[in-house]
Amino acid sequence: MKTIQLLFATMIAVSVLVIGCGGNGGDAASKSSPKTTSESGLSEFEIKNGIGPVTEEIVIGEIDAEIAQKGAEVFELKCSACHKMNERYVGPALGDILELRTPAYVMNMILNPDGMVKKHPEAKKKLQEFMTPMPNQNLSQDEARAIAEYLASDIK
Amino acid sequence: MKKQTHNHRFWILPVITLIGVMLYGCSSQGDFSSNTDAAQKVYVAPGEYDEFYGFMSGGYNGQLGIYGIPSGRHLFTVPVFSQAAVNGYGYTDETKNMLNTSHGFVPWGDAHHPELSQTNGETDGRWIFINENNTPRIARIGLDEFRTQEIIEIPNSAGNHASAFVTPNTEYVSAATRFSIPMDENMKNMDAAIDSYAETFKGTISFIKVSGEGKMNVDFQILMPGFDYDLSHAGKGPSDGWAFFTSYNSEEAHTLLEINASKNDKDFIAAINWEKAAEYAKEGKGEMLPGKHVRNYVDHDEGGIVKTEVIEEVRVLDPRKLDGLVYFLPTPKSPHGVDVDPTGKYIVAGGKLSTVIPVHSFAKMIESIDSENYEGEVMGIPVLKYDSILHGEVENPGLGPLHTEFDGKGYAYTTAFISSEIVKWDIEKTEVVDRIGTYYSPGHLMIPGGDSQKPDGKYLVALNKITKDRYLPTGPEMFHSAQLIDISGDKMQLLLDFPTEGEPHYAQGIAAEKVIKRQKRFYDLAENSHPYRATSEKQTRIERDGKEVHVYMTTIRSHFSPDNIEGIKVGDKVYFHVTNLEQDWDVPHGFAIKGANTAELLIMPGETLTLTWEPKEVGVYPFYCTDFCSALHQEMQGYVRVSPESSNVDFKYGTGQ
């Protein structure tokens, strides 16, 4: 009997080990925990301004027409296939986005879309709503900043 | 009693498993001591990279296969000399000119010897060249994008086999005629009786100059006796400035060559002083003679569209008129491979019908030339004396020695085709030190950097010609078998079998980091210079020019713009110019439309490609994305309405209206 028990124990241990090795990447802990801000593991700055290369608040004062124009051009090239100003399209309408989000949040969403939809609770919600993940269009930080200027301007 | 039975069963299981493992371990052929040891050496963990890239010629599939070494994983296939319906290469308006030749469009080619570009005798990861044997050509593939960027045809050549080997700083790429043909004084292929072979048939050896940007042009070709020129390698170190070409059929037979071209005890290695030839060419020596050939190249200034230029003449150097160009090294017997060791001192021939491996000494060759120690001449080319130039002969090298590579530690490795083995030998002593069986009949072999001045002598890949029972059977045809051999120790150790596509003739290997650092991940949309590009949805439109209709279309996850098109008529020729607006790595979109007589498009991010479609019947035709691009990929579709030829349906198009 003892031998049988020992064998069983060994087999169970081995199968546990095997299963243990199989789980890869799936973040079980985060899935089971409620999606409250306190448990998202994000800082207050990140909740407000998003996760990504922009780590300081961006304040847009008086519009610089030249930068806004540059932003309009980049937007046309890299974003307009999915975003309109006044209607929901492949992605959300962006006409009043800066009333809902900070410029830094918008920039981080542009520069780090993969990270945002994985980790930021608001971006996650948007992905569930729109289903198409926002592509990374490989903009520079300056280009993303110019788009923020454009979105804050009247020319949009 | 019952308990007893259970007890037995539980003991039986592990015993059976153990026996199974032991049996399995013994089942494969190959003399390695431990499966576990071999498995560890080839195991590349999930998410990890291989240490080396392996570039294997696709042989009769006309392509270049990319494999990871040591795992043997097939990573990619670059279409080179054959159309590839998988991505539209050779079908699209952008790429089809790449397969133009002086014989018109040739959709298939026989790819043979890949050769990496070198700087200071070391592989540099810029380009890989590969020759085509049937319709003589050389291709240059850019390793920044793993695409064929240029193909040049070789004029006055029939069968380009001794190619595409580079000089130590990629000054030149070699080419030579495998099949001699009758040529008149203007290099024109003649309407001559085949049995006039000995009088009328000639060969040529060509040197293709490579510019700093990779542009190829035939700098000169040397007129040669009508032998079959087989393989080549450039000199290096002390022998830099020279190149060596094997020849067989010095008998000048034109029928039943397997007997008639195997009569002479020795054929020749042609030693070409390319540095001297280049000087002659620069001085305007030789003659500009007819030699119509084409060069196809990617025009980066115009949207990456391939252009074809026709070149009418070529410079021909005649060894009967110009001294010091070529010398013949007598070599037993119908030699196949010719390989120069990393020090550049020794020239090794794979005398495929010979019982020894002859090793010539470059220093002795130069001495013989300086003292004019000749035994005769053929077509004005001095023939040196075998005994005066010989460094040594490797005894008992196996049957049918073909090709040799080097480990940079003083050893050479030669394939023996008939006896199915690889033989390791000491270059200075010309003595065999180890041998290992391969399965079956190796042709070429490859050590990363193994034909350069700086080999990475860790692994060797045997490229076997016969597969038979090595894998699960797949009917009469099966992939060729490659075998990975550990050469880091004194004894060679067989590690892995892996199947390779087509028929890899030769292969090249290179440390992965030399190539990784050059990788392009997508094409910058802002730099797209295609005349039919649409770099935003605002620019999408349809234009009619008589019966030609141009659709400027875009893709992004996951829709086409426009995705509803009306106003097309039966008899129209519709060009879908599709620009992929994505700007991230590995997000191609596909484009296919019902009834297209060409191929699908696979459009890389930032790129524009064109599919041509000629609808023959009225109706509504769907098109869709063929590359699963997002969760809403299945929704990435559209419709084209085709109306009768006589109708007046206006253009109407858009997305989301």
Side-chain angles (χ1 to χ4, degrees), chain A residues 1 3-4 7-8 11 24 75-82 84 87 89-90 113-114 130-139 143 150, chain B residues 3 6-7 10-11 13-14 46 522 524-526 535-539 554 556-559 561 581-585 630-632 655-656:
Chain A
M1 264 321 276
T3 331
I4 296 172
L7 267 171
F8 263 121
M11 286 169 102
N24 179 25
F75 186 88
E76 158 90 15
L77 194 67
K78 305 264 178 100
C79 317
S80 65
C82 296
K84 310 275 179 208
E87 58 174 307
Y89 199 48
V90 177
D114 300 336
F130 284 85
M131 291 308 287
T132 303
M134 178 155 143
N136 187 340
Q137 290 287 78
N138 276 293
L139 274 67
E143 288 173 323
Y150 163 64
Chain B
K3 275 173 196 166
H6 265 146
N7 208 348
F10 276 107
W11 279 112
L13 255 176
F522 57 87
D524 190 344
L525 202 53
T535 52
S536 74
E537 289 195 358
K538 262 190 197 159
Q539 296 172 14
T554 61
I556 195 155
R557 280 163 285 178
S558 280
H559 61 276
S561 179
L581 297 179
E582 305 279 356
Q583 288 290 273
D584 200 4
W585 195 22
S630 78
L632 295 170
T655 296

Coordinates of all heavy atoms in Angstrom, one line a residue, chain A residues 1 3-4 7-8 11 24 75-82 84 87 89-90 113-114 130-139 143 150, chain B residues 3 6-7 10-11 13-14 46 522 524-526 535-539 554 556-559 561 581-585 630-632 655-656:
Chain A
M1 N 0.8 -1.2 0.0 CA 0.0 0.0 0.0 C 0.9 1.3 0.0 O 0.6 2.2 -0.7 CB -0.9 0.0 1.2 CG -2.3 -0.5 1.0 SD -3.1 0.0 -0.6 CE -3.7 1.6 -0.2
T3 N 3.7 1.7 -1.1 CA 4.3 2.0 -2.5 C 3.3 2.7 -3.4 O 3.6 3.6 -4.1 CB 4.7 0.6 -3.1 OG1 5.0 -0.3 -2.1 CG2 5.8 0.8 -4.1
I4 N 2.0 2.2 -3.3 CA 1.0 2.8 -4.2 C 0.8 4.2 -3.8 O 0.8 5.1 -4.7 CB -0.3 2.0 -4.0 CG1 -0.2 0.6 -4.6 CG2 -1.4 2.7 -4.8 CD1 -1.4 -0.3 -4.3
L7 N 3.7 6.2 -5.1 CA 3.6 6.4 -6.6 C 2.6 7.5 -6.9 O 2.8 8.4 -7.7 CB 3.2 5.1 -7.2 CG 4.3 4.3 -7.7 CD1 3.8 2.9 -8.1 CD2 5.1 4.9 -8.8
F8 N 1.4 7.4 -6.3 CA 0.3 8.4 -6.5 C 0.8 9.8 -6.2 O 0.7 10.7 -7.0 CB -0.9 8.1 -5.6 CG -1.9 7.3 -6.4 CD1 -2.4 6.1 -5.9 CD2 -2.5 7.8 -7.5 CE1 -3.3 5.3 -6.6 CE2 -3.5 7.1 -8.2 CZ -3.9 5.9 -7.8
M11 N 3.2 10.9 -8.9 CA 2.5 11.3 -10.1 C 1.8 12.6 -10.0 O 1.9 13.4 -10.9 CB 1.5 10.2 -10.5 CG 2.2 8.9 -11.1 SD 1.1 7.6 -11.2 CE 0.8 7.6 -12.9
N24 N 1.8 30.2 -19.2 CA 2.9 31.1 -19.6 C 2.2 32.5 -20.0 O 1.4 32.6 -20.8 CB 3.6 30.6 -20.8 CG 4.7 31.5 -21.4 OD1 5.2 32.3 -20.6 ND2 5.0 31.4 -22.6
F75 N -1.6 63.5 -37.9 CA -2.9 62.9 -37.7 C -3.6 62.3 -39.0 O -4.0 61.2 -39.0 CB -3.9 63.9 -37.0 CG -5.2 63.3 -36.6 CD1 -5.3 62.7 -35.3 CD2 -6.3 63.2 -37.5 CE1 -6.5 62.2 -34.9 CE2 -7.5 62.7 -37.1 CZ -7.6 62.1 -35.8
E76 N -3.5 63.1 -40.0 CA -4.0 62.7 -41.3 C -3.4 61.4 -41.8 O -4.0 60.5 -42.2 CB -3.8 63.9 -42.3 CG -3.8 63.5 -43.7 CD -5.2 63.6 -44.4 OE1 -6.1 64.2 -43.8 OE2 -5.3 63.0 -45.5
L77 N -2.0 61.4 -41.6 CA -1.2 60.3 -42.2 C -1.4 59.0 -41.3 O -1.6 57.9 -41.9 CB 0.2 60.7 -42.2 CG 1.2 59.8 -43.0 CD1 0.9 59.9 -44.4 CD2 2.7 60.3 -42.7
K78 N -1.4 59.2 -40.0 CA -1.3 58.0 -39.2 C -2.5 57.6 -38.4 O -2.6 56.5 -37.9 CB -0.1 58.2 -38.2 CG 1.2 58.5 -38.8 CD 2.1 57.3 -39.0 CE 3.4 57.6 -39.7 NZ 4.5 57.7 -38.7
C79 N -3.5 58.5 -38.2 CA -4.6 58.3 -37.3 C -6.0 58.3 -38.0 O -6.9 57.7 -37.5 CB -4.6 59.3 -36.2 SG -3.0 59.6 -35.5
S80 N -6.1 59.1 -39.1 CA -7.4 59.4 -39.6 C -8.2 58.2 -40.2 O -9.4 58.3 -40.4 CB -7.3 60.5 -40.7 OG -6.6 60.1 -41.8
A81 N -7.5 57.1 -40.5 CA -8.1 56.0 -41.0 C -9.1 55.4 -39.9 O -10.0 54.7 -40.3 CB -7.1 54.9 -41.4
C82 N -8.9 55.7 -38.7 CA -9.7 55.1 -37.6 C -10.4 56.1 -36.7 O -11.4 55.7 -36.0 CB -8.9 54.2 -36.8 SG -8.2 52.8 -37.7
K84 N -12.4 59.8 -36.2 CA -13.0 61.1 -36.7 C -13.2 62.0 -35.5 O -13.1 61.6 -34.4 CB -14.4 60.8 -37.3 CG -14.4 59.6 -38.3 CD -14.1 60.0 -39.7 CE -14.1 58.9 -40.7 NZ -13.1 59.0 -41.8
E87 N -17.6 61.7 -34.8 CA -18.4 60.5 -34.8 C -17.5 59.3 -34.4 O -16.3 59.3 -34.7 CB -19.0 60.3 -36.2 CG -18.0 60.2 -37.3 CD -18.6 59.8 -38.7 OE1 -19.3 58.8 -38.8 OE2 -18.3 60.6 -39.6
Y89 N -16.0 55.9 -34.9 CA -15.6 55.2 -36.1 C -15.0 53.9 -35.7 O -15.6 53.2 -34.8 CB -14.7 56.1 -37.0 CG -14.6 55.7 -38.4 CD1 -15.7 55.5 -39.2 CD2 -13.4 55.6 -39.0 CE1 -15.6 55.1 -40.5 CE2 -13.2 55.3 -40.4 CZ -14.4 55.0 -41.1 OH -14.3 54.7 -42.4
V90 N -13.8 53.5 -36.3 CA -13.2 52.3 -35.8 C -12.7 52.5 -34.3 O -12.8 51.7 -33.5 CB -11.9 52.0 -36.6 CG1 -11.2 50.8 -36.1 CG2 -12.4 51.7 -38.1
P113 N 0.2 52.2 -27.1 CA -1.2 51.6 -27.1 C -1.2 50.2 -26.5 O -2.2 49.8 -25.8 CB -1.6 51.6 -28.6 CG -0.3 51.7 -29.3 CD 0.7 52.5 -28.4
D114 N -0.2 49.4 -26.8 CA -0.2 48.0 -26.3 C -0.2 47.9 -24.8 O -1.0 47.2 -24.1 CB 1.0 47.2 -26.8 CG 1.0 47.2 -28.4 OD1 0.0 47.3 -29.0 OD2 2.1 47.0 -28.9
F130 N -14.6 48.8 -28.1 CA -14.4 49.0 -29.6 C -13.8 47.7 -30.2 O -13.8 47.6 -31.5 CB -13.4 50.1 -29.8 CG -14.1 51.5 -29.7 CD1 -14.3 52.1 -28.5 CD2 -14.7 52.1 -30.8 CE1 -14.9 53.3 -28.3 CE2 -15.3 53.3 -30.7 CZ -15.4 53.9 -29.4
M131 N -13.3 46.8 -29.4 CA -12.8 45.5 -29.9 C -11.5 45.5 -30.8 O -10.8 44.6 -30.8 CB -13.9 44.7 -30.7 CG -15.0 44.2 -29.8 SD -14.5 43.3 -28.3 CE -13.9 41.8 -29.1
T132 N -11.3 46.6 -31.5 CA -10.1 46.7 -32.3 C -9.0 47.4 -31.5 O -9.2 48.5 -31.1 CB -10.3 47.5 -33.6 OG1 -11.4 46.9 -34.3 CG2 -9.1 47.5 -34.5
P133 N -7.9 46.7 -31.2 CA -6.8 47.3 -30.4 C -6.2 48.4 -31.2 O -6.0 48.3 -32.4 CB -5.8 46.2 -30.0 CG -6.2 45.1 -31.0 CD -7.5 45.3 -31.5
M134 N -5.9 49.6 -30.5 CA -5.3 50.7 -31.3 C -3.9 50.3 -31.7 O -3.1 49.8 -30.9 CB -5.2 51.9 -30.4 CG -4.5 53.1 -31.0 SD -5.1 54.6 -30.3 CE -3.6 55.5 -30.4
P135 N -3.6 50.4 -33.0 CA -2.2 50.0 -33.5 C -1.2 51.0 -33.0 O -1.5 52.2 -32.8 CB -2.4 50.1 -35.0 CG -3.8 50.4 -35.3 CD -4.4 50.9 -34.1
N136 N 0.0 50.5 -32.9 CA 1.1 51.4 -32.6 C 1.6 51.9 -33.9 O 2.1 51.1 -34.8 CB 2.3 50.6 -31.9 CG 3.4 51.5 -31.4 OD1 3.5 52.7 -32.0 ND2 4.2 51.1 -30.5
Q137 N 1.5 53.2 -34.2 CA 1.9 53.7 -35.5 C 3.3 54.3 -35.4 O 3.7 55.1 -36.3 CB 0.9 54.8 -36.0 CG -0.5 54.2 -36.4 CD -0.4 53.4 -37.7 OE1 0.1 52.3 -37.7 NE2 -0.9 54.0 -38.8
N138 N 4.0 54.0 -34.4 CA 5.4 54.4 -34.2 C 5.7 55.9 -34.4 O 6.5 56.3 -35.2 CB 6.3 53.6 -35.1 CG 6.6 52.2 -34.5 OD1 7.4 52.2 -33.5 ND2 6.1 51.2 -35.0
L139 N 4.9 56.7 -33.7 CA 5.1 58.2 -33.8 C 6.3 58.5 -32.8 O 6.5 57.8 -31.8 CB 3.9 58.9 -33.3 CG 2.8 59.2 -34.4 CD1 2.2 57.9 -35.0 CD2 1.8 60.2 -33.9
E143 N 5.9 64.1 -32.3 CA 4.7 64.0 -33.2 C 3.5 63.9 -32.3 O 2.4 64.4 -32.7 CB 4.9 62.8 -34.2 CG 5.9 63.1 -35.3 CD 6.2 61.8 -36.1 OE1 6.2 60.7 -35.6 OE2 6.4 62.0 -37.3
Y150 N -2.8 69.9 -31.9 CA -3.8 69.9 -32.9 C -5.2 69.7 -32.3 O -6.2 70.4 -32.6 CB -3.5 68.9 -34.0 CG -4.6 68.5 -34.9 CD1 -5.2 69.4 -35.8 CD2 -5.1 67.1 -34.9 CE1 -6.2 69.0 -36.6 CE2 -6.1 66.8 -35.8 CZ -6.6 67.7 -36.6 OH -7.6 67.3 -37.5
Chain B
K3 N -5.5 -6.3 -4.7 CA -4.5 -5.3 -4.4 C -3.1 -5.6 -5.1 O -2.4 -4.7 -5.6 CB -4.3 -5.2 -2.9 CG -5.3 -4.3 -2.2 CD -5.2 -4.4 -0.7 CE -6.4 -3.8 -0.1 NZ -6.5 -4.1 1.4
H6 N -3.1 -4.5 -8.7 CA -2.8 -3.1 -8.9 C -1.4 -2.7 -8.7 O -0.8 -2.0 -9.5 CB -3.6 -2.3 -7.8 CG -4.9 -1.9 -8.3 ND1 -6.1 -1.8 -7.5 CD2 -5.3 -1.4 -9.5 CE1 -7.1 -1.4 -8.2 NE2 -6.6 -1.1 -9.4
N7 N -0.8 -3.3 -7.7 CA 0.6 -3.1 -7.4 C 1.4 -3.4 -8.6 O 2.3 -2.6 -9.0 CB 1.0 -4.0 -6.2 CG 2.1 -3.4 -5.4 OD1 2.7 -2.4 -5.9 ND2 2.4 -3.9 -4.2
F10 N 1.1 -0.8 -11.5 CA 1.8 0.5 -11.3 C 3.3 0.3 -11.5 O 4.0 1.3 -11.9 CB 1.5 1.0 -9.9 CG 0.3 1.8 -9.9 CD1 -0.9 1.3 -9.3 CD2 0.2 3.0 -10.6 CE1 -2.0 2.0 -9.3 CE2 -1.0 3.8 -10.6 CZ -2.1 3.3 -10.0
W11 N 3.8 -0.9 -11.3 CA 5.3 -1.0 -11.5 C 5.6 -1.2 -13.0 O 6.6 -0.8 -13.5 CB 5.8 -2.3 -10.8 CG 6.1 -1.9 -9.3 CD1 5.4 -2.3 -8.2 CD2 7.1 -1.0 -8.9 NE1 5.9 -1.7 -7.1 CE2 7.0 -0.9 -7.5 CE3 8.0 -0.2 -9.5 CZ2 7.8 -0.1 -6.7 CZ3 8.9 0.6 -8.7 CH2 8.7 0.6 -7.3
L13 N 4.0 0.2 -15.6 CA 4.0 1.4 -16.4 C 5.3 2.1 -16.6 O 5.8 2.3 -17.7 CB 3.0 2.4 -15.8 CG 1.6 2.5 -16.5 CD1 0.7 3.4 -15.8 CD2 1.8 3.0 -17.9
P14 N 6.0 2.4 -15.4 CA 7.3 3.1 -15.6 C 8.3 2.3 -16.3 O 9.1 2.8 -17.0 CB 7.7 3.4 -14.2 CG 6.7 2.8 -13.3 CD 5.5 2.3 -14.0
P46 N 11.7 28.6 -26.0 CA 10.6 29.4 -26.5 C 11.0 30.9 -26.2 O 11.3 31.3 -25.1 CB 9.4 29.0 -25.8 CG 9.6 27.6 -25.4 CD 11.1 27.5 -25.2
F522 N 9.4 48.1 -40.6 CA 8.3 48.5 -41.5 C 8.8 49.6 -42.4 O 9.9 50.1 -42.2 CB 7.1 49.0 -40.7 CG 7.4 50.1 -39.8 CD1 7.3 51.4 -40.2 CD2 7.7 49.9 -38.4 CE1 7.5 52.5 -39.3 CE2 8.0 50.9 -37.6 CZ 7.9 52.2 -38.0
D524 N 8.5 53.4 -43.8 CA 8.0 54.7 -43.3 C 7.0 55.2 -44.4 O 7.3 55.5 -45.5 CB 9.2 55.6 -43.1 CG 8.7 56.9 -42.4 OD1 7.5 57.1 -42.4 OD2 9.6 57.7 -41.9
L525 N 5.8 55.4 -43.9 CA 4.7 55.9 -44.8 C 5.0 57.2 -45.4 O 4.7 57.5 -46.5 CB 3.4 55.9 -43.9 CG 2.1 55.9 -44.6 CD1 1.9 54.7 -45.6 CD2 1.0 55.9 -43.6
A526 N 5.7 58.1 -44.6 CA 6.0 59.4 -45.0 C 7.0 59.4 -46.2 O 7.1 60.3 -47.0 CB 6.5 60.2 -43.9
T535 N -1.6 57.7 -48.9 CA -1.0 57.6 -47.6 C -2.0 58.0 -46.5 O -1.6 58.1 -45.3 CB 0.3 58.4 -47.5 OG1 0.0 59.7 -47.9 CG2 1.4 57.8 -48.3
S536 N -3.2 58.3 -46.9 CA -4.3 58.5 -45.9 C -5.6 58.2 -46.6 O -5.7 58.2 -47.8 CB -4.3 60.0 -45.3 OG -4.9 60.8 -46.3
E537 N -6.6 58.0 -45.8 CA -7.9 57.6 -46.4 C -8.5 58.7 -47.2 O -9.2 58.5 -48.2 CB -8.9 57.2 -45.3 CG -8.5 55.8 -44.7 CD -9.6 55.1 -43.9 OE1 -10.7 55.7 -43.8 OE2 -9.4 54.0 -43.4
K538 N -8.1 60.0 -46.9 CA -8.5 61.1 -47.7 C -8.1 61.0 -49.1 O -8.7 61.6 -50.0 CB -8.0 62.4 -47.1 CG -9.0 63.1 -46.2 CD -8.5 64.5 -45.8 CE -9.3 65.0 -44.6 NZ -8.6 66.1 -43.9
Q539 N -6.9 60.4 -49.3 CA -6.4 60.3 -50.7 C -6.9 59.1 -51.5 O -6.6 59.0 -52.7 CB -4.8 60.2 -50.6 CG -4.2 61.4 -50.0 CD -2.7 61.1 -49.8 OE1 -2.1 60.2 -50.3 NE2 -2.1 62.0 -49.0
T554 N -6.6 51.9 -49.3 CA -5.7 51.8 -48.1 C -6.3 50.6 -47.2 O -7.4 50.2 -47.3 CB -5.7 53.1 -47.3 OG1 -7.1 53.4 -46.8 CG2 -5.1 54.2 -48.0
I556 N -6.0 49.4 -43.0 CA -5.6 49.5 -41.6 C -6.5 48.6 -40.8 O -7.6 48.3 -41.3 CB -5.6 50.9 -41.1 CG1 -4.8 51.1 -39.8 CG2 -7.0 51.5 -40.9 CD1 -4.2 52.4 -39.5
R557 N -6.0 48.0 -39.6 CA -6.9 47.1 -38.9 C -8.2 47.8 -38.5 O -8.2 48.9 -37.8 CB -6.2 46.7 -37.6 CG -5.2 45.6 -37.8 CD -4.2 45.5 -36.6 NE -3.2 46.5 -36.6 CZ -2.3 46.6 -35.7 NH1 -2.3 45.8 -34.7 NH2 -1.4 47.6 -35.7
S558 N -9.3 47.3 -38.9 CA -9.4 46.2 -39.9 C -10.5 46.6 -41.0 O -11.6 46.1 -41.0 CB -9.9 44.9 -39.2 OG -8.7 44.3 -38.6
H559 N -10.1 47.5 -41.8 CA -11.0 47.8 -42.9 C -10.2 48.3 -44.2 O -9.0 48.7 -44.0 CB -12.0 48.9 -42.5 CG -11.4 50.2 -42.1 ND1 -11.0 50.5 -40.8 CD2 -11.2 51.4 -42.8 CE1 -10.5 51.7 -40.7 NE2 -10.6 52.3 -41.9
S561 N -10.3 51.0 -47.4 CA -10.9 52.2 -47.9 C -10.5 52.4 -49.3 O -9.3 52.5 -49.6 CB -10.5 53.4 -47.0 OG -11.1 54.6 -47.5
L581 N -1.5 51.2 -44.4 CA -1.2 52.4 -43.5 C -0.6 52.1 -42.2 O -0.2 53.0 -41.4 CB -2.6 53.2 -43.3 CG -3.3 53.8 -44.5 CD1 -4.5 54.5 -44.0 CD2 -2.4 54.8 -45.2
E582 N -0.5 50.8 -41.8 CA 0.0 50.4 -40.5 C 1.5 50.9 -40.5 O 2.2 50.9 -41.5 CB 0.0 48.9 -40.4 CG -1.3 48.2 -40.6 CD -2.2 48.3 -39.3 OE1 -1.7 48.8 -38.3 OE2 -3.4 47.9 -39.4
Q583 N 1.9 51.2 -39.2 CA 3.3 51.6 -39.0 C 3.9 50.9 -37.8 O 4.5 51.4 -37.0 CB 3.4 53.1 -38.8 CG 3.1 53.9 -40.1 CD 4.2 53.8 -41.1 OE1 5.2 54.5 -41.1 NE2 4.1 52.8 -42.0
D584 N 3.6 49.6 -37.8 CA 4.2 48.7 -36.7 C 4.7 47.4 -37.3 O 4.4 47.1 -38.4 CB 3.1 48.5 -35.7 CG 3.7 48.1 -34.3 OD1 4.9 48.1 -34.2 OD2 2.9 47.8 -33.4
W585 N 5.5 46.8 -36.5 CA 6.2 45.5 -37.0 C 5.2 44.4 -37.1 O 4.3 44.2 -36.3 CB 7.3 45.2 -35.9 CG 8.3 44.2 -36.4 CD1 8.6 43.8 -37.7 CD2 9.1 43.4 -35.5 NE1 9.6 42.9 -37.7 CE2 9.9 42.6 -36.4 CE3 9.2 43.2 -34.1 CZ2 10.9 41.7 -35.8 CZ3 10.1 42.3 -33.6 CH2 11.0 41.6 -34.5
S630 N -6.5 41.1 -36.9 CA -7.0 41.5 -35.7 C -8.2 40.7 -35.3 O -8.6 39.8 -36.1 CB -7.4 43.0 -35.7 OG -8.7 43.1 -36.4
A631 N -8.9 41.0 -34.2 CA -10.1 40.2 -33.8 C -11.2 40.4 -34.8 O -12.1 39.6 -34.9 CB -10.5 40.7 -32.4
L632 N -11.1 41.6 -35.5 CA -12.1 41.8 -36.5 C -11.6 41.6 -37.9 O -12.1 42.2 -38.9 CB -12.7 43.3 -36.3 CG -13.3 43.4 -34.9 CD1 -13.6 44.9 -34.7 CD2 -14.6 42.6 -34.9
T655 N -16.1 54.1 -47.6 CA -16.1 53.1 -46.5 C -17.0 53.7 -45.4 O -16.8 54.9 -45.1 CB -14.7 52.9 -46.0 OG1 -14.0 52.2 -47.0 CG2 -14.7 52.0 -44.8
G656 N -17.9 53.0 -44.9 CA -18.7 53.5 -43.7 C -19.8 54.4 -44.1 O -20.4 55.0 -43.2

